[in-house]
Amino acid sequence: MSGGATVEGDAPLRLFLALELPDDVAAALHTWGERHLRRGRHLESLHVTLAFLGAQPRAVLDGILGALREEARATEPFTLGAVRYRETRSVGMLVLDDPSGAATGLAERLHARLRALHVYEPERHRWLPHVTVLRFREQPKLDPPLPEIPRFAPSGAAAFLSRLHPSGARYEVLESCSLGAGVE
């Protein structure tokens, strides 16, 4: 477990939980995006969002971090792999497979814990492992080849602070923890 950004005062915190990508995978995805995703705004911070929590009072942060630590420790090691590129109305994403189901299990356990803390409202759709790589105002309808990256194990799970800026949100890691540290 490691700390990162600090938070002070009582202002609401814009939070999300995510799987962190290994540095070499993030670098390869940045290179792929520069080459094949010609329209839209490329994202600097690449991750696999587990749960977006939105604005939360500082008072609930310890409970959120505790749930993340416990569920990450209880998660068996797993790998993810790129399977397709997909666009929604506002983002381009690289959809990942989760053959062991461990990433999906982690997300679902976190969703249940976060709902019990009254800090998370479930999405309408089932959780889909993906990396958002592009944001846009008008859907570019791209059809890029898949990036040539091997299957990868996330480097950890983290709680992120999202700070809004005119050029787009900037993400800071509040706390990062290892996956599977409690699995024997």
Side-chain angles (χ1 to χ4, degrees):
M1 173 176 57
S2 62
T6 58
V7 291
E8 298 175 8
D10 293 329
L13 306 173
R14 201 163 177 265
L15 303 171
F16 67 93
L17 306 180
L19 296 170
E20 297 175 292
L21 302 183
D23 290 341
D24 62 327
V25 171
L29 290 179
H30 281 294
T31 300
W32 169 79
E34 290 169 6
R35 181 174 295 147
H36 299 287
L37 306 177
R38 302 266 180 200
R39 295 172 50 204
R41 181 173 53 84
H42 294 241
L43 300 183
E44 291 181 31
S45 175
L46 300 178
H47 53 268
V48 178
T49 301
L50 293 164
F52 180 73
L53 306 177
Q56 297 293 331
R58 170 73 176 84
V60 300
L61 184 58
D62 288 342
I64 292 167
L65 295 177
L68 176 66
R69 283 184 216 113
E70 291 169 18
E71 297 306 333
R73 284 180 56 88
T75 300
E76 297 277 346
F78 62 90
T79 61
L80 301 169
V83 292
R84 64 186 164 96
Y85 173 80
R86 174 180 182 231
E87 291 180 358
T88 66
R89 289 184 318 210
S90 60
V91 301
M93 64 180 69
L94 189 60
V95 177
L96 307 171
D97 69 355
D98 177 25
S100 72
T104 301
L106 170 60
E108 290 172 350
R109 292 191 316 276
L110 276 171
H111 296 171
R113 298 274 304 267
L114 296 167
R115 278 193 311 273
L117 292 170
H118 306 287
V119 298
Y120 179 73
E121 193 62 39
E123 303 279 335
R124 289 190 321 248
H125 305 288
R126 187 161 189 230
W127 182 77
L128 177 69
H130 69 276
V131 178
T132 299
V133 293
L134 194 65
R135 292 199 182 279
F136 40 77
R137 291 186 196 279
E138 188 175 319
Q139 195 174 26
K141 298 182 178 157
L142 301 172
D143 187 22
L146 285 177
E148 294 181 13
I149 56 170
R151 296 190 66 73
F152 64 91
S155 56
F160 287 83
L161 178 63
S162 176
R163 298 185 194 267
L164 298 178
H165 290 271
S167 61
R170 296 186 184 154
Y171 309 135
E172 301 172 50
V173 173
L174 285 172
E175 185 172 312
S176 181
C177 48
S178 298
L179 294 165
V183 177
E184 300 188 23

